[in-house]
Amino acid sequence: MRKFVITLLILSVCLIAACSPETTDEEKRKGGNVLLTVFPDPNLAAGKPYGYLFHFTEAFTKYKGKRLAINAYHHETGEQIKPVASEIIIEPPPGYSSLERFTTTFEVPYSGFWRYEVTLDGEFYAEVAVFVGEKKMDKSIIEMVRID
């Protein structure tokens, strides 16, 4: 039941975002249409793997048989990482007719703004900006510190 409620909540957010007239940092528009919206883990922080839900809006034929990759660029340092290596899109996720729910997990090393660039067959498709929070201090390390 909990998985059903979470799935329903995610779908509701996707539908609301797709119908929103404003462009946010997490979505990219082309010709007035939203191409891509990303929903990062609400606890997203640097230095630890977190999950992302990428919501692509075009028909599946746009993606089928193409290589999808995601590159990430840190705004402050300019550092680039390749969190999602090129993968061929063969079929939509189970229960979906397109890439409405493309999920992945990856880690970024620094906090701050990151630009996630999506490519199809090596060609630019869309980009979104995501803010990544500070690294979380490991509580077990704090407890092990001895003060004399």
Side-chain angles (χ1 to χ4, degrees):
M1 180 66 175
R2 184 176 178 185
K3 285 184 181 182
F4 174 75
V5 171
I6 291 172
T7 302
L8 187 59
L9 179 63
I10 290 172
L11 286 174
S12 298
V13 169
C14 288
L15 288 174
I16 291 169
C19 295
S20 173
E22 297 180 19
T23 301
T24 66
D25 286 342
E26 291 84 24
E27 69 184 24
K28 179 63 178 180
R29 291 178 182 261
K30 181 177 182 182
N33 298 319
V34 175
L35 294 177
L36 168 68
T37 305
V38 64
F39 299 95
D41 185 302
N43 298 312
L44 179 62
K48 185 177 175 188
Y50 283 93
Y52 296 82
L53 186 151
F54 286 82
H55 174 75
F56 293 87
T57 61
E58 293 190 272
F60 186 71
T61 54
K62 175 72 177 178
Y63 315 106
K64 187 174 183 175
K66 294 186 179 174
R67 292 188 164 278
L68 183 143
I70 299 173
N71 298 307
Y73 302 88
H74 188 243
H75 177 73
E76 189 175 323
T77 65
E79 183 172 335
Q80 175 188 353
I81 61 172
K82 295 185 179 208
V84 179
S86 182
E87 67 179 74
I88 297 175
I89 303 300
I90 298 169
E91 59 186 27
Y96 294 89
S97 61
S98 190
L99 286 184
E100 296 130 89
R101 186 180 167 91
F102 179 82
T103 58
T104 187
T105 300
F106 58 87
E107 173 182 338
V108 294
Y110 311 116
S111 63
F113 282 100
W114 284 82
R115 179 172 52 94
Y116 296 167
E117 179 183 276
V118 177
T119 61
L120 294 175
D121 284 342
E123 298 290 323
F124 175 83
Y125 176 71
E127 62 185 10
V128 293
V130 176
F131 182 79
V132 177
E134 296 287 331
K135 286 185 178 182
K136 305 243 191 258
M137 184 66 97
D138 187 351
K139 193 175 180 181
S140 63
I141 293 173
I142 295 171
E143 292 172 354
M144 293 172 46
V145 174
R146 182 176 156 191
I147 302 174
D148 289 333

